[in-house]
Amino acid sequence: MCDPVPADPVVAQSLFLFSVLGQQSLAVGTAFVIGQCKSESDSTTTLVAVTAKHCLTNIYKHFNGSTDNLHENRWWRQESNKGHFWLSAGDTNEGFWQCIWLSSYIDDLALVFLKSANPQAANKKFHQPLITFELPRIGSEVWGFGFADSRSSPENYKELEMQPKLTKGNVIQHLEGSLYGERIVAAIPTRSGMSGGPVFWAKCLLGVISSTFGNSDDVGTTTLVTRVRHIWNIPLDGAPAFNGQRFTTGGQLGEAGFLNFISPSMANQDEPYFSTVHKLPVWVRKEL
């Protein structure tokens, strides 16, 4: 595990998951942007991001104490306007986004829609990383990112502590056919707060960090990674429109060009280094 260069695209593409309601605040993890759409009417930006389900569940439990209505999305629609924010730690101008919709859950994966809440957020641009459905072989190299050991102040939501961290290792087990059939086990070190952060394989987005097995130093040496492939079929019931269009699945968002999946008709790709420390490239949709 090591520190990234602050200007690395993986930092700017990731969001620090932070929530505040009234006098209470909570820092819970990391999210990763996979698509965006700018509104022509009010210049706000809607992001599509992935994170770990348990990060959202932790927010809900902290502020509400029950998960009875969590899957109905009702609580998020009503309460998010009262102060639940995502903070882009990769943006020195501190762009803020608000959670306006979240998907049904598949394993420990959640798809969320975020609305820009200040001018810095509305003007920020993100890449569209190439998402793979493939399963890496045992021994394949994977790498990831997250905001480790994040802390928030109960008095001031801008008094944050976070440690952006890169991690790299190898796939050591598939969990297909088990209770966690959408997960792989990788020998990559992670810390608390990196949950929901992206994991890459073969220059593609493979999954999100789900959980880790710690040791005496409180650093996990083995990590469960939840694959993101199911966002193709994830239902978008109640999700906001993109460019005036409503979509029923994540796959339709991809076919319309708002997400970037490996497919026979996929767009041309650029190959920027998302981590200059390790010279790790990621395929992203080429800007026209």
Side-chain angles (χ1 to χ4, degrees):
M1 195 184 311
C2 67
D3 297 331
V5 175
D8 277 354
V10 70
V11 182
Q13 190 82 16
S14 300
L15 300 180
F16 175 62
L17 176 48
F18 171 80
S19 188
V20 59
L21 183 61
Q23 299 300 312
Q24 300 183 63
S25 64
L26 185 69
V28 294
T30 306
F32 188 71
V33 179
I34 58 175
Q36 69 177 21
C37 175
K38 189 162 186 176
S39 169
E40 296 180 357
S41 60
D42 59 6
S43 295
T44 58
T45 302
T46 301
L47 302 184
V48 183
V50 286
T51 188
K53 175 187 81 172
H54 73 265
C55 292
L56 301 177
T57 304
N58 289 344
I59 291 177
Y60 189 87
K61 288 180 178 179
H62 179 82
F63 289 107
N64 196 61
S66 168
T67 57
D68 292 343
N69 296 324
L70 183 58
H71 296 276
E72 298 177 12
N73 220 349
R74 181 188 312 154
W75 184 81
W76 289 88
R77 290 199 302 267
Q78 293 173 347
E79 300 295 333
S80 63
N81 291 328
K82 299 178 182 178
H84 286 272
F85 292 97
W86 299 63
L87 166 67
S88 170
D91 188 338
T92 57
N93 292 321
E94 294 187 337
F96 286 90
W97 285 264
Q98 205 165 27
C99 183
I100 57 175
W101 182 85
L102 59 87
S103 70
S104 303
Y105 299 129
I106 295 178
D107 198 353
D108 197 26
L109 176 70
L111 185 71
V112 293
F113 282 34
L114 311 170
K115 198 76 168 179
S116 56
N118 66 0
Q120 294 91 333
N123 293 326
K124 184 170 172 59
K125 293 183 179 180
F126 294 89
H127 295 286
Q128 283 186 307
L130 186 59
I131 300 168
T132 181
F133 295 166
E134 296 297 318
L135 181 67
R137 295 180 179 179
I138 302 298
S140 297
E141 182 179 89
V142 294
W143 68 277
F145 173 84
F147 297 111
D149 301 322
S150 304
R151 299 289 183 270
S152 56
S153 165
E155 290 80 24
N156 186 343
Y157 67 84
K158 288 192 175 182
E159 293 179 3
L160 308 172
E161 294 180 17
M162 51 188 151
Q163 301 177 41
K165 294 292 183 182
L166 291 169
T167 184
K168 188 168 67 166
N170 301 93
V171 175
I172 57 177
Q173 185 180 359
H174 298 154
L175 296 182
E176 289 186 297
S178 68
L179 178 62
Y180 304 110
E182 287 308 313
R183 301 191 198 187
I184 62 171
V185 183
I188 56 176
T190 51
R191 297 185 73 98
S192 174
M194 297 179 70
S195 290
V199 175
F200 302 94
W201 164 64
K203 305 178 188 177
C204 296
L205 178 64
L206 171 68
V208 298
I209 295 169
S210 182
S211 58
T212 189
F213 303 100
N215 59 22
S216 58
D217 298 323
D218 198 31
V219 177
T221 55
T222 305
T223 297
L224 288 175
V225 176
T226 301
R227 297 165 67 195
V228 299
R229 64 176 186 145
H230 271 303
I231 60 174
W232 179 271
N233 295 315
I234 210 160
L236 303 182
D237 300 336
F242 265 40
N243 274 356
Q245 304 175 66
R246 294 197 177 275
F247 301 93
T248 59
T249 65
Q252 289 184 0
L253 273 178
E255 291 167 350
F258 294 112
L259 302 180
N260 187 17
F261 294 97
I262 286 183
S263 68
S265 60
M266 74 183 194
N268 292 331
Q269 305 290 309
D270 282 325
E271 196 175 321
Y273 285 116
F274 260 44
S275 163
T276 55
V277 174
H278 297 297
K279 297 294 183 184
L280 298 169
V282 171
W283 276 320
V284 299
R285 186 189 298 270
K286 183 174 291 186
E287 292 189 16
L288 300 178

